[in-house]
């Protein structure tokens, strides 16, 4: 069956004043939807029949070229939106729970981590994604993916959080000012989502150890 566009967990205007309703309309309603539609069109072709019964994750991990680009961009955007939650105030949105402890363990402080992540996000050349992952060594890492690249495909670790640094994420609100977008994005990070991904890593580890 064709893939579908996941519903957002909040109203399209709910991320304001950090990300506008108009940006959500374009980024989610047009760009994100376009990757979905192109992937479904590719998978409908007879030569791509082998991919038709696979999960989106499997396609991202195993594919390359045109199919990978559309599938990974669909998966990346699904993940990106789930990592954001409304925050009407411009207040520091600090992590809590397990992720807070692990950030402090691996980076010394949240501020030090935030500075490093922001530098990667603002400095990333051209289009792509910046990821917080839990590496195979059990430590956090900040990685960059050019274009559609993600940790699922390159098997670098478990994705916990991502910042989309394609210009379509911010051209309406900030024109070409990526640092202003990254600063606004921090206000919206859903640390509960990040913690739920950490729990997923722990249960996978436990499962692998039992096998």
């Amino acid at each position: 069956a064709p893939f579908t566009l996941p519903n957002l967990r909040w109203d399209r205007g709910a991320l304001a004043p950090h990300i506008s309703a108009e940006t959500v309309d374009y980024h989610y309603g047009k760009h994100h939807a376009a990757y979905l539609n192109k992937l479904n069109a590719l998978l409908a072709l007879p030569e791509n029949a082998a991919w038709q019964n696979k999960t989106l994750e499997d396609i991202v991990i195993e594919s390359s070229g045109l199919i990978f680009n559309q599938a990974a961009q669909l998966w990346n955007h699904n993940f990106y939106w789930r990592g954001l939650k409304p925050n009407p105030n411009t207040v520091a949105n600090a992590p809590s729970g397990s992720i807070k402890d692990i950030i402090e363990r691996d980076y010394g402080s949240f501020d030090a981590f935030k500075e490093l992540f922001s530098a990667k996000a603002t400095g990333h050349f051209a289009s792509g994604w910046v990821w917080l992952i839990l590496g195979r060594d059990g430590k956090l890492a900040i990685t960059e993916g050019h274009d559609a690249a993600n940790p699922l495909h390159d098997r670098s670790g478990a994705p916990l959080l991502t910042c989309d640094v394609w210009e379509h994420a911010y051209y309406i609100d900030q024109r070409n000012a990526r640092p202003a977008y990254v600063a606004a994005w921090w206000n919206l990070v859903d640390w509960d989502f990040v913690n739920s991904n950490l729990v997923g890593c722990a249960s996978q580890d436990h499962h692998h150890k039992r096998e």
Side-chain angles (χ1 to χ4, degrees):
F3 291 108
T4 56
L5 197 64
N7 291 323
L8 298 174
R9 297 181 299 156
W10 23 259
D11 179 78
R12 289 185 183 199
L15 301 185
H18 314 295
I19 292 178
S20 68
E22 188 183 3
T23 285
V24 175
D25 278 341
Y26 273 81
H27 192 180
Y28 170 78
K30 292 191 165 53
H31 295 287
H32 188 175
Y35 294 120
L36 168 81
N37 293 335
K38 286 174 188 167
L39 177 64
N40 283 335
L42 284 168
L43 296 183
L45 298 172
E47 61 265 33
N48 295 325
W51 299 105
Q52 286 169 7
N53 293 318
K54 290 184 180 282
T55 65
L56 183 59
E57 287 80 4
D58 285 344
I59 295 173
V60 169
I61 291 166
E62 298 168 19
S63 66
S64 60
L66 273 178
I67 289 178
F68 169 75
N69 287 337
Q70 306 306 326
Q73 283 291 84
L74 176 58
W75 191 91
N76 294 351
H77 280 91
N78 292 353
F79 193 85
Y80 170 78
W81 295 120
R82 286 168 62 210
L84 303 179
K85 72 173 182 180
N87 176 11
N89 308 307
T90 306
V91 293
N93 181 23
S96 58
S98 301
I99 190 62
K100 176 181 185 289
D101 298 337
I102 298 175
I103 285 173
E104 288 171 357
R105 180 196 75 188
D106 291 349
Y107 293 97
S109 70
F110 174 62
D111 286 342
F113 159 73
K114 185 178 173 184
E115 197 173 316
L116 281 171
F117 192 101
S118 295
K120 283 262 174 94
T122 55
H124 180 86
F125 182 72
S127 299
W129 301 79
V130 176
W131 301 86
L132 173 63
I133 67 167
L134 188 67
R136 294 177 172 274
D137 58 359
K139 292 183 178 175
L140 295 175
I142 301 165
T143 63
E144 299 176 60
H146 285 284
D147 298 328
N150 67 31
L152 218 59
H153 183 75
D154 64 28
R155 300 172 191 263
S156 54
L160 303 176
L161 179 69
T162 193
C163 183
D164 184 352
V165 293
W166 282 64
E167 207 166 68
H168 66 221
Y170 55 89
Y171 67 83
I172 291 168
D173 294 342
Q174 280 96 8
R175 301 298 178 244
N176 64 336
R178 189 189 290 175
Y181 156 70
V182 174
W185 172 84
W186 280 113
N187 293 307
L188 299 167
V189 171
D190 185 349
W191 295 106
D192 291 337
F193 173 69
V194 181
N195 277 316
S196 72
N197 292 325
L198 269 179
V199 170
C201 299
S203 63
Q204 279 182 344
D205 273 358
H206 183 65
H207 177 68
H208 289 319
K209 281 171 185 157
R210 287 170 57 204
E211 284 178 350

